[in-house]
Amino acid sequence: MTYEVTVEPTGDVIEVEEGQTILDAALRQGVWLPFACGHGTCGTCKVQVVEGDADLGNASPFALMDVERDEGKVLACCAIPESDLVIEADIDVDPDFEGYSVEDFSAKVIKIDDLSPTIKGITLELDHPITFQAGQYINLEIPDVEGSRAFSIANSPSHSSIVELHVRLVPGGAATTWLHKTLKEGDELSLSGPYGQFFVRKSDVKDVIFIAGGSGLSSPQSMIMDLLEQGDTRQIYLFQGARNLAELYNRDLLTELAEKHSNFHYIPALNAPTAEDQWQGFTGYVHEAAIDHFDGKFAGHKAYLCGPPPMIDSAISALMQGRVFEADIHMEKFLTAADGAESETRSALFKRI
């Protein structure tokens, strides 16, 4: 049995299979609904049921309060239709969003690299091509680990038969420990994608600043390679932050791209280089490297931030002090399962930040 769900105000109609959530059906049919955690704890995917009935699923009482339930609100990531529905969603889809449908894939591990002491590069060959926008991510199923784990795609969309992931080892993390310690070439895994609203706004002609920390390089790497492959003529700046030289991975690749493309500028920063590093580049945090390079004046740029929450927060502060505001700042925070969606808070002043 299937149910029809009409999404207002766009008027999109999706078919939802029995037992399927509204969000999963929407994403698999190329209809965007806002979401974040995907498992009922953050409240980002909250929608209003205007007509029909739905099972609320395992929505957290903190993300969906009793008064909201009484008003007919549900979380799209948990709610399962029990009849045809009409829902109202707070949809703000960027015109540059291409809206590719989410699909399931089987993948074979064809390469595992030690990118740094804590980050592995894992390349997966897919059973059929994936269509995605640079900056998006996949959900990876890991044996004997409950739920899926999100990892950004590091290769450009032109290489559609593979997915390259940068996986940081999280202390005590069951998923990343398995990927670092147990996974081997030739193994097969399942994944789904693409997901996410982190992508380059190509219709905007402003020069572009990327700020990345840790394994947060993955999305910017994909986005930059895509821009350069397409012959984009804007000035593109990548600020990559790491603790020391051993953690500053893919430096040779990025340096080579900067040498080949006159409009791409690569500025690495180390905040705690060792004596053995003999580091001659910028010493300090990555947002400080951006401030130093632009003399604190960022007006006229689009900014894309990817990495751990403290880095993101510092970069946002620096950019806004330098006259780049919300509409021109896009970000992807790298949260681990240990961080918990409950700990993620949003600014009361800004819709997206």
Side-chain angles (χ1 to χ4, degrees):
M1 178 180 291
T2 62
Y3 295 109
E4 282 192 352
V5 176
T6 302
V7 181
E8 299 294 355
T10 62
D12 290 310
V13 178
I14 58 175
E15 298 285 337
V16 186
E17 301 288 339
E18 186 172 4
Q20 187 179 28
T21 67
I22 296 171
L23 178 63
D24 184 63
L27 295 178
R28 290 178 181 276
Q29 292 168 61
V31 175
W32 173 254
L33 292 177
F35 76 101
C37 74
H39 47 74
T41 60
C42 74
T44 303
C45 65
K46 195 176 298 176
V47 298
Q48 176 72 51
V49 175
V50 178
E51 297 178 14
D53 298 297
D55 184 332
L56 299 181
N58 61 344
S60 162
F62 300 101
L64 189 66
M65 297 182 291
D66 288 341
V67 63
E68 294 175 313
R69 296 169 190 242
D70 293 340
E71 293 170 351
K73 290 182 172 64
V74 302
L75 300 185
C77 71
C78 298
I80 297 173
E82 296 180 324
S83 69
D84 290 344
L85 297 175
V86 176
I87 63 172
E88 287 184 351
D90 183 16
I91 299 175
D92 184 19
V93 178
D94 192 288
D96 283 315
F97 179 56
E98 296 177 9
Y100 297 122
S101 299
V102 170
E103 299 181 56
D104 294 318
F105 300 85
S106 294
K108 183 186 214 178
V109 180
I110 60 172
K111 190 177 183 183
I112 301 176
D113 294 312
D114 291 322
L115 299 178
S116 84
T118 62
I119 299 172
K120 282 190 181 292
I122 299 173
T123 303
L124 304 170
E125 184 178 53
L126 305 177
D127 61 340
H128 62 281
I130 183 171
T131 305
F132 67 96
Q133 283 183 267
Q136 291 190 299
Y137 68 90
I138 56 94
N139 280 337
L140 186 67
E141 304 292 333
I142 300 168
D144 302 320
V145 175
E146 184 178 357
S148 59
R149 295 294 186 271
F151 295 101
S152 293
I153 304 172
N155 54 286
S156 75
S158 62
H159 298 282
S160 60
S161 64
I162 65 166
V163 163
E164 177 189 338
L165 310 176
H166 299 168
V167 180
R168 180 176 68 89
L169 179 62
V170 178
T176 62
T177 297
W178 190 90
L179 291 171
H180 271 249
K181 306 295 185 184
T182 304
L183 184 70
K184 61 184 183 299
E185 293 182 5
D187 285 349
E188 295 188 356
L189 297 171
S190 297
L191 59 92
S192 62
Y195 297 96
Q197 290 275 290
F198 191 56
F199 53 87
V200 175
R201 275 63 181 176
K202 293 184 178 180
S203 65
D204 195 307
V205 298
K206 296 184 185 73
D207 291 338
V208 185
I209 296 171
F210 292 95
I211 301 179
S215 60
L217 175 64
S218 51
S219 289
Q221 176 178 301
S222 175
M223 298 157 97
I224 290 165
M225 292 177 73
D226 183 46
L227 287 171
L228 296 177
E229 286 175 6
Q230 298 299 318
D232 197 287
T233 58
R234 285 172 290 185
Q235 296 301 305
I236 302 167
Y237 302 85
L238 170 63
F239 296 89
Q240 181 191 11
R243 181 172 177 79
N244 52 49
L245 193 58
E247 291 291 348
L248 190 71
Y249 73 94
N250 280 4
R251 181 187 178 198
D252 290 344
L253 167 65
L254 298 167
T255 299
E256 182 179 337
L257 286 175
E259 292 172 349
K260 183 177 179 181
H261 299 274
S262 61
N263 63 321
F264 174 54
H265 313 277
Y266 173 52
I267 305 95
L270 302 182
N271 64 65
T274 66
E276 291 77 14
D277 289 339
Q278 298 183 10
W279 180 243
Q280 300 297 313
F282 184 87
T283 300
Y285 291 105
V286 67
H287 72 280
E288 295 172 335
I291 293 171
D292 178 76
H293 186 86
F294 285 100
D295 196 25
K297 300 170 185 176
F298 300 107
H301 291 83
K302 294 284 280 189
Y304 298 89
L305 320 176
C306 194
M311 186 220 81
I312 296 283
D313 295 341
S314 296
I316 289 173
S317 178
L319 289 164
M320 296 191 77
Q321 289 179 40
R323 308 297 291 177
V324 174
F325 300 112
E326 184 193 10
D328 288 323
I329 300 176
H330 307 276
M331 62 183 180
E332 189 84 301
K333 288 189 179 181
F334 272 30
L335 296 169
T336 69
D339 291 315
E342 296 89 346
S343 66
E344 176 71 352
T345 59
R346 292 180 180 270
S347 167
L349 297 177
F350 305 111
K351 183 175 180 180
R352 292 190 302 104
I353 295 177

